[in-house]
Amino acid sequence: MNFDESFEKLIGHEGGYSNNPADPGGETMFGVTKAVAVQNGYTGAMRDLQLSEAKRIAKKVYWDSCRADDLPDAVR
């Protein structure tokens, strides 16, 4: 599985905006929390986070940081 395939699966579970008070992650859009978005340069409202920006952040923070391309396919 490559990043694009992985991100599509993520969006199937995490797509859209969420701000559930019971969720410690707080505001989330496309699986990216507000804290992670801000840490990666996003300054807008979470409801306005574009899918392409969420994908860029997710690749950097969740995929590239653990060098997922170097992992066996079954682990990715």
Side-chain angles (χ1 to χ4, degrees):
M1 177 179 304
N2 64 30
F3 173 74
D4 289 331
E5 294 166 331
S6 174
F7 190 75
E8 287 299 316
K9 286 184 181 263
L10 171 74
I11 294 307
H13 296 285
E14 296 283 344
Y17 176 79
S18 175
N19 191 15
N20 184 335
D23 182 349
E27 279 189 283
T28 304
M29 184 69 158
F30 301 124
V32 176
T33 65
K34 182 175 183 176
V36 169
V38 169
Q39 288 170 354
N40 286 276
Y42 183 70
T43 59
M46 286 305 291
R47 285 187 182 274
D48 297 333
L49 180 69
Q50 297 294 305
L51 181 62
S52 60
E53 181 69 1
K55 188 173 183 176
R56 180 195 69 79
I57 292 169
K59 185 168 190 314
K60 176 184 173 189
V61 174
Y62 305 119
W63 190 267
D64 292 344
S65 68
C66 69
R67 298 175 44 191
D69 285 325
D70 297 336
L71 297 172
D73 193 47
V75 176
R76 285 186 232 146

